Amino acid sequence: MERGVFRLRLPLPWPGVPHCNAWAVQAGDGVVLFDTGMHQRDSMAHLERAMAMCGLRVEDVSAVVCTHAHLDHCGQAAEIMARAGCQLWMHPEQASLRRMMADPQSVLERQLEIARQSGVPEAALQRYAAERGTRDFEVFPVPEPDHALLDGVTIETDLGTWTAYETPGHAPSHVCLYQPEHRLLVSGDHLLGRISLYFDYGYSPDPVGEYLRSLDVVAGLDARLCLSGHGRTFTDVAAHIDASRQLVHERLAAVERAIAAGPASAFEIVPLVYGEAVSPSNAHWLLSKTLCYLEHLEVRGVAQRLKGEPERWEPFGSAKP
Ligand SMILES: [Zn+2]
Ligand SMILES: [Zn+2]
């Protein structure tokens, strides 16, 4: 087999995100697999087909390394480990994933509660519940990592050693892996070719602040080629880091403008920031991000929340009614 990195492009059942990537790198007699794709019907057949195109078999996998605990990046870890008899490297902070797999219904209820607290009207909540009631993922066993993928942990391959860098923000468990001689970065969802942001809401105090610090971490690496969790590889890594940082600041500024005129709920802020109203198909995505921006402004002392149903937000220091 040739020395190199193989991109395994695997299908996803999500309309806006039709594919994810796993990356296969030869390591002696085995193969290191960065990310796994999602667990769903036929997903193992898709992985087998993609690996066969590179002359590889699932049984060749000697290590599974997951960039973060999202369904599309670790969903097949348990099955690959069982078939290949290999070990798992993954960050230990996986509360959200474990809860989702242990009790999917409670996760839906929590999302509805967050939406209600954010000011989504009752009728829209009912529609959202009806649409989300049919789960868009299959439950799978979440294996305990054999190795905690923390800062400085290394993975050996025929291309050289990869070093883990913790990059929380998109998810608390997010890690990037860097190969310095070839200047390759396995970036997961931290950096994507198409600038697109998402932050897990409710699992750490300030995901946006974490994300900005994690951009500084990868900016210090001098990567030449980014192997991202979705889409094609890209080379202008520094420009992508700058564009991601700029988009965060644009969104934060838009959220600040949205609350400047007085208290507003996240439901009222979303259309002012994103130019589209909350709908069943975007509610989870847009509310999570908007709440993360609001919490970041709160941490920075720029915004404050008014407790209540719904919760509203205003500039910090606004006169109390
Ligand atoms: Zn993700
Ligand atoms: Zn992803």
Side-chain angles (χ1 to χ4, degrees), residues 215-252:
L215 286 179
D216 293 342
V217 168
V218 290
L221 295 178
D222 196 27
R224 177 181 61 88
L225 183 69
C226 210
L227 316 172
S228 56
H230 304 267
R232 296 187 184 169
T233 59
F234 54 92
T235 51
D236 45 352
V237 184
H240 280 73
I241 294 169
D242 288 344
S244 299
R245 197 182 277 126
Q246 191 183 330
L247 184 57
V248 170
H249 290 302
E250 281 171 21
R251 297 297 193 220
L252 286 169

Side-chain angles (χ1 to χ4, degrees), residues 108 111-113 115-116 118-133 267 277-284 287:
L108 173 64
Q111 287 178 4
L112 289 171
E113 186 47 40
R116 180 178 291 117
S118 303
V120 176
E122 203 55 41
L125 280 175
Q126 299 302 334
R127 281 203 305 280
Y128 181 67
E131 286 197 23
R132 289 301 299 244
F267 177 74
V278 172
S279 71
S281 58
N282 70 19
H284 174 62
L287 286 174

Side-chain angles (χ1 to χ4, degrees), residues 68 70 72-73 170 189 229-230:
H68 61 298
H70 280 171
D72 47 335
H73 297 263
H170 172 79
D189 287 349
H230 304 267

